[in-house]
């Protein structure tokens, strides 16, 4: 298995773990957006979130919540961003499902991605297409 995060989970590569149970692990991102940036991931090799079995969804979310609470209890943490990238086009670098849990401080200068308003009637058209695709 050549997956970097599987190697970390198997302790072949070291990482600063903050949590681990049967199904989920959490460790510090090596290159944090902000100090305390945690990665939360299932202990099963699945590349993208939509392919992750439902039995992992709740446990992963529960660890995200626990991590958020631990970060919010730290000094200087006023908010949290949760991020999750799928496929290279969306910025995924490590193809093993993971959530970024990023502590934020008021006025820390981190910028969100910009939005662009819909044109006339465009939103309804797009919503209709997505609605049809949702099972
Ligand atoms: P992605 O872009 O795939 O959503 O995020 C991958 C994340 O993994 C990046 O934020 C990157 O800093 C982190 N990362 C890459 N290599 C390592 C590593 O060897 N150890 C740890 N702890 N994090 C890593
Ligand atoms: Zn993996």
């Amino acid at each position: 298995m050549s997956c970097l995060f599987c190697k970390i989970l198997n302790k072949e590569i070291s990482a600063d773990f903050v949590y681990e149970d049967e199904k989920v692990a959490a460790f510090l991102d090596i290159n944090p957006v902000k100090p305390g940036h945690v990665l939360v991931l299932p202990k099963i090799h699945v590349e993208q979130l939509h392919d992750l079995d439902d039995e992992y969804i709740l446990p992963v979310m529960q660890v995200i919540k626990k991590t958020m609470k631990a970060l919010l209890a730290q000094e200087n943490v006023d908010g949290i961003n949760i991020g999750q990238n799928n496929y290279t086009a969306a910025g995924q670098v490590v193809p093993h499902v993971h959530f970024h849990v990023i502590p934020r401080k008021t006025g820390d200068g981190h910028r969100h991605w910009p939005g662009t308003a819909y044109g006339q009637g465009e939103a309804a058209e797009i919503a209709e297409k997505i609605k049809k695709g949702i099972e």
Side-chain angles (χ1 to χ4, degrees), residues 42-53:
K43 289 168 105 173
I44 183 171
H45 183 78
V46 174
E47 300 199 353
Q48 278 86 33
L49 181 61
H50 59 293
D51 289 327
L52 183 63
D53 197 280

Side-chain angles (χ1 to χ4, degrees), residues 88-117:
T88 311
Q92 184 177 19
V93 172
V94 180
H96 180 130
V97 174
H98 55 279
F99 285 81
H100 298 258
V101 184
I102 304 167
R104 298 290 308 280
K105 183 175 163 43
T106 305
D108 65 13
H110 185 72
R111 301 284 294 273
H112 284 269
W113 50 52
T116 311

Side-chain angles (χ1 to χ4, degrees), residues 11-97:
K11 312 291 159 68
E12 292 165 44
I13 294 176
S14 71
D16 295 290
F17 279 79
V18 297
Y19 181 86
E20 194 169 5
D21 64 28
E22 213 179 284
K23 286 186 172 160
V24 186
F27 50 78
L28 293 185
D29 192 298
I30 205 169
N31 190 24
V33 171
K34 298 287 172 193
H37 176 166
V38 172
L39 300 175
V40 176
L41 58 153
K43 289 168 105 173
I44 183 171
H45 183 78
V46 174
E47 300 199 353
Q48 278 86 33
L49 181 61
H50 59 293
D51 289 327
L52 183 63
D53 197 280
D54 281 351
E55 72 167 288
Y56 282 89
I57 300 292
L58 181 60
V60 167
M61 275 297 160
Q62 285 170 325
V63 177
I64 289 171
K65 277 178 64 179
K66 286 180 203 285
T67 306
M68 287 181 67
K69 286 179 186 171
L71 288 171
L72 287 165
Q74 307 287 314
E75 263 179 62
N76 296 326
V77 177
D78 306 317
I80 305 280
N81 285 121
I82 308 290
Q84 205 277 316
N85 304 322
N86 296 280
Y87 299 111
T88 311
Q92 184 177 19
V93 172
V94 180
H96 180 130
V97 174

